[in-house]
Amino acid sequence: GGILRGGKAIVDLYDRIFKGSARVTVTFGDIVAYAAGESATFAGRETGEYRIGDAAPVPVSIRTTRCFHFENGHWTMFHHHGSIDDAERLATYQRAVGRR
């Protein structure tokens, strides 16, 4: 999705992804969890595929890290990072989900 800051930009991106023509299906796995007091970080890989209409599915693999903080009785995600390592696959994915 690119570097985004602020809730509105993030909501807008995921709105385009979930309401767009690309159907993305991923599973979060190969997870390493780090917990310390009021914070937790999960690092792993989202693997799966996306497809547009009846086109053949395109595999996707995203390295991802998610950081949470516990405050006022609930967990809040304060950082999320995902990377598609192959530049050509990243550009193709961004076009498919309406990012570029």
Side-chain angles (χ1 to χ4, degrees), residues 1 9 13 22-24 28 36 38 51 55 77:
L13 170 67
R23 294 292 163 237
V24 181
F28 187 36
E38 306 294 312
R51 68 174 64 217
M77 183 167 52

Side-chain angles (χ1 to χ4, degrees), residues 67-80:
C67 301
F68 297 84
H69 182 72
F70 189 79
E71 186 173 50
N72 299 323
H74 66 274
W75 289 95
T76 301
M77 183 167 52
F78 66 89
H79 178 77
H80 176 274

Side-chain angles (χ1 to χ4, degrees), residues 1 12 15 17 21-22 31 36 56 62-63 70 83 88-89 99:
D12 290 348
D15 196 44
I17 291 171
S21 60
I31 301 165
I62 304 168
R63 269 185 312 112
F70 189 79
S83 293
E88 185 176 323
R89 283 186 182 238
R99 179 65 178 149

